Structure formats: C-alpha cells, structure tokens
Amino acid sequence: DGISVRDPSSASLLRSLGVKATPRLGADMALLLPEPPSAGESGGFNIGTMTSVGIAPRPLDKRSDVVALFGDLVRMLYKANIMPVLIEMDRVQDGPLIAEIEKTQGGKVPSIRKAVTPMQIQQRMARMDGVIAMRLHAGILAATVGVPPFMVSYDPKVAAFASSMDLPSVPSTQNLTAQRLFDSFMQFYSDRERHKRSLERKHDEMMRAAQTNVQLLMAAYPA
C-alpha cells in the first residue's frame, strides 16, 4: 500500500529490482526525536584541557580489524589532546567490542555504556565537540542535538545519510588506516562550525522528510 525509503539510492535500487510502486523519499524516523531539555545547558563535556569526541564503532566480519583501527585512533586522539569517549549503541555487539578496544590501550577508556533510552545518548552527545560514527544511528542522534557527526561508512546507508545532511563525503572502512581516519576527522573537526551551520539548515527539512513516514502510514490505515 505504500513504500518509503531513507535515501535516493534505495529508491533506485527498488526500481532496479522491478518494484513498480513509486517509493516516497523520507528520512530515518529517529530524526523526529526532540532535543532533550537539558541538552547543551551544562557546557562542554571536557576533562581538564581536553575536549571530548564520541566514537561509535561496530563489529565487521573481521572484528580484529575494527579493534585495531579504533584502538589506534583512540591513541592518536589522546596525543592530540582530545578525550575519546566510546559509545555503546548495541549492548550485545558493541559492548564486547569496546572492551577489546580498551584492552589495546592497556586499561579503561571513557565510555557511554548501558544507556536505556536514546535521550540519554543525546544528552551526553550534546556536550561533546564531535562524534565519529560508524553506527548510523550514532550519527543521527548527534545530528538531533546539533553535533556534527563524522561518518565512517561500512554500508551505503551511512554515506547516504552524510550526503543528505550536506556533510563531507565519508571514508569507507575498506582498507582504512587509523592515520587516514585520524587525519580526515581532524580536517572535519577544524571545520566543525561550518558543519554545525549545515546541520541547522538541514534539520527542519529532514524532520519533514521523516514525517512523510507517518503520513504514509496514516494514509494506508485511516482512522
């Protein structure tokens, strides 16, 4: 009765598969989450002179590659006087991964673990200077509180989200080195005020796009 997709590439893929219905271009429903009342009220989430950057990794087939990549990235951020904060988006998959990344550092790395609601993640992210997101919804939650997410693409949907928010093209995990990831993020980080303005311009537009999912559902199942 109706089809909605999050990005133009998904619409093209459906057509290539022979789907006759015309999909509506929407956006991820998580973009409808409101900014928590306390977000941004307590200043930056800093430790001493170090600003903080959230990191949301996720496992891949070669788990060891992800551990090494983000373990080295954590070390480079420390050296750049930036406090990395590992973010657990999926307790089953990300929790053990974060523990393995911590082992590469010989101890505990600041982290956000066992959050119960998306609002808790939003509240912590709102106090950060940036977020490095391999997890799509880590990037989306950062965007809802005005923090520019630096997306790392393991899947086309991640790059599609960055494009929809007018953020720079994202690196792929394929053959990605920690040095390249660090350098790309630092370039992104140096331009974060411009990226914040891009998020502000796109926020209302993307919320309206996400609302088309609700409209489609109501049209298919009228009261």
Side-chain angles (χ1 to χ4, degrees):
D1 295 303
I3 300 174
S4 176
V5 295
R6 291 187 294 201
D7 55 74
S9 295
S10 295
S12 298
L13 178 60
L14 287 179
R15 285 192 291 271
S16 73
L17 294 172
V19 176
K20 301 302 181 185
T22 300
R24 295 179 66 171
L25 181 59
D28 195 283
M29 294 288 282
L31 287 162
L32 293 177
L33 285 168
E35 183 173 342
S38 60
E41 291 182 2
S42 302
F45 181 67
N46 299 341
I47 300 176
T49 61
M50 302 177 75
T51 57
S52 62
V53 168
I55 304 175
R58 58 149 290 152
L60 291 177
D61 291 339
K62 291 186 177 180
R63 187 188 187 96
S64 59
D65 290 351
V66 178
V67 172
L69 176 67
F70 285 95
D72 289 345
L73 175 65
V74 162
R75 191 158 43 248
M76 291 175 183
L77 289 171
Y78 273 128
K79 288 182 179 179
N81 204 40
I82 295 173
M83 177 62 70
V85 181
L86 296 167
I87 302 172
E88 178 189 79
M89 296 294 294
D90 182 304
R91 193 171 301 178
V92 174
Q93 292 191 353
D94 299 352
L97 178 65
I98 286 174
E100 290 182 47
I101 293 171
E102 289 177 333
K103 287 180 183 178
T104 68
Q105 305 309 302
K108 191 74 174 174
V109 177
S111 62
I112 301 173
R113 307 281 292 273
K114 300 181 180 179
V116 177
T117 68
M119 181 179 288
Q120 291 174 322
I121 301 289
Q122 287 177 296
Q123 288 169 330
R124 295 290 297 276
M125 284 182 170
R127 300 173 59 198
M128 295 177 175
D129 285 90
V131 170
I132 300 172
M134 189 174 169
R135 283 280 185 192
L136 171 65
H137 284 88
I140 291 174
L141 291 184
T144 64
V145 292
V147 176
F150 179 78
M151 307 303 297
V152 181
S153 180
Y154 74 96
D155 184 276
K157 65 185 179 183
V158 178
F161 169 69
S163 176
S164 72
M165 300 302 291
D166 286 345
L167 295 171
S169 58
V170 303
S172 168
T173 53
Q174 188 172 7
N175 299 321
L176 182 63
T177 65
Q179 187 65 58
R180 181 179 161 224
L181 177 56
F182 174 78
D183 292 343
S184 298
F185 170 70
M186 293 305 292
Q187 178 60 47
F188 178 91
Y189 185 72
S190 69
D191 232 1
R192 64 188 180 279
E193 292 304 321
R194 180 168 64 86
H195 301 321
K196 281 185 179 180
R197 292 192 293 272
S198 292
L199 287 183
E200 289 171 1
R201 287 194 302 268
K202 296 293 292 188
H203 184 260
D204 289 346
E205 175 188 332
M206 295 304 292
M207 284 190 71
R208 288 193 297 271
Q211 286 167 351
T212 64
N213 297 305
V214 180
Q215 296 162 2
L216 186 64
L217 183 63
M218 294 175 67
Y221 297 95

